[in-house]
Amino acid sequence: MYLDVLGGLRIGPAGGDAGPTAPKQRQLLGLLALRANATVPVTTCVRELWDDHPPRSAATTLQTYVMHLRRVLARAEAPARLLTGERGYLLRIDPEQIDLGVVREWARRGDQHAAAGRPAHAARDWQQALTLWRGPVLADVRVGPVAEEIIGHLDQWRLLLIDRYLEAELRCGRHRQVVAAATTLAGRHPLREPIHASLMTALYRSGRQADAVLVYQRLCAALGRELGVEPSAAVQRLHRAVRSGAAWLESPAGPTTEPPVPTFRRPTLVPAPSSGVS
């Protein structure tokens, strides 16, 4: 039994969902899951559910929602307990049984490998983290201002994971794999400079200099049209290096054998795409 938030809100075994159906209960469970194993104050819950216009019965209604959520979790045999504290509510769950907790563990391992100079292991672990993202966080929940802010931070963190993953793959000499992944990502994130920089580098190393220049031109057009700015100095330098065939752009190593995936893993409720990055 698992609890997932990186996509739709889901509780249950692989392929199933035993979560609440009432919109406000889903909204509350979504917030508590995003802040799993931390107490969420009553005032924060009220703001999430009703923003700046709570009803007079907000505290009582919130208690009713909590009671119903406890019943849902019990019926689903969910790996979580909803506890009441002095100041608020806490959803207690083993980090390995909520997808966000698993992603954080894979990301932490990737960071450790990167710091130790093991880019192949780092790329593997960051990719494992990214495969658990089934879609937008709480995609089927009408979130309020509190969850919306948390989701914004998670979206930015995911983009940083993507940047690190692509960079690690390039360091391993796997530029053709980067071309495949970064081409899709650049289309979905047309203003994300690190993704375009990785794609330009990978294309150049694949013998596609003209295509790398074209990626830069599309980035320039998008940044100018949407933000009225030019690419950063680092990306402009990369563009000049691509056009001139600078030696420092060559691959630092030949293709690296991918290390085996360690035993720590957790199945998702919906099968992830084979590429693992989107």
Side-chain angles (χ1 to χ4, degrees):
M1 303 295 289
Y2 302 107
L3 173 60
D4 282 19
V5 296
L6 302 178
L9 176 65
R10 305 200 177 176
I11 304 173
D17 181 18
T21 57
K24 287 292 188 184
Q25 292 177 31
R26 292 178 64 80
Q27 188 177 356
L28 178 59
L29 179 58
L31 172 64
L32 295 172
L34 290 177
R35 298 284 300 276
N37 298 311
T39 298
V40 181
V42 169
T43 54
T44 301
C45 294
V46 169
R47 181 165 180 261
E48 168 65 17
L49 293 174
W50 294 286
D51 202 351
D52 295 327
H53 305 285
R56 292 183 179 180
S57 61
T60 302
T61 304
L62 178 60
Q63 292 174 356
T64 302
Y65 291 159
V66 169
M67 179 185 65
H68 286 306
L69 284 180
R70 287 196 176 111
R71 291 175 180 171
V72 169
L73 294 172
R75 285 197 303 268
E77 298 180 357
R81 292 180 60 202
L82 181 48
L83 307 178
T84 301
E86 293 183 2
R87 299 188 306 110
Y89 300 100
L90 181 147
L91 188 71
R92 180 168 291 168
I93 185 171
D94 186 325
E96 291 189 15
Q97 292 186 299
I98 179 170
D99 56 359
L100 184 54
V102 179
V103 166
R104 284 173 172 151
E105 175 62 15
W106 278 120
R108 183 190 67 79
R109 293 184 179 203
D111 292 345
Q112 288 183 332
H113 285 306
R118 295 188 292 269
H121 290 73
R124 175 205 63 195
D125 289 355
W126 287 329
Q127 184 181 41
Q128 288 293 315
L130 291 164
T131 59
L132 288 174
W133 238 284
R134 294 173 291 114
V137 181
L138 295 179
D140 56 0
V141 177
R142 185 176 60 189
V143 300
V146 181
E148 186 175 14
E149 182 177 357
I150 297 172
I151 290 170
H153 290 306
L154 288 174
D155 289 342
Q156 289 302 310
W157 180 55
R158 177 172 176 264
L159 287 173
L160 288 174
L161 284 179
I162 290 173
D163 296 342
R164 294 170 184 171
Y165 163 72
L166 294 175
E167 183 179 352
E169 290 281 58
L170 286 173
R171 290 185 61 191
C172 294
R174 295 197 284 256
H175 37 272
R176 287 181 174 81
Q177 291 94 318
V178 173
V179 169
T183 297
T184 300
L185 289 164
R188 294 177 179 175
H189 306 282
L191 306 179
R192 186 72 180 179
E193 291 193 37
I195 291 174
H196 287 76
S198 291
L199 179 56
M200 290 168 61
T201 303
L203 286 168
Y204 178 83
R205 292 177 180 175
S206 300
R208 298 169 59 182
Q209 182 183 34
D211 289 336
V213 172
L214 184 60
V215 168
Y216 176 80
Q217 292 172 345
R218 287 199 295 261
L219 175 63
C220 285
L223 289 173
R225 181 176 60 253
E226 299 296 330
L227 303 177
V229 299
E230 295 181 343
S232 66
V235 176
Q236 292 185 40
R237 176 173 175 262
L238 174 61
H239 172 240
R240 291 193 296 269
V242 165
R243 292 183 67 90
S244 64
W248 63 266
L249 260 182
E250 299 300 325
S251 179
T256 302
T257 302
E258 187 167 347
V261 177
T263 55
F264 175 80
R265 64 163 56 219
R266 185 272 234 189
T268 56
L269 296 180
V270 174
S274 58
S275 66
V277 183
S278 61

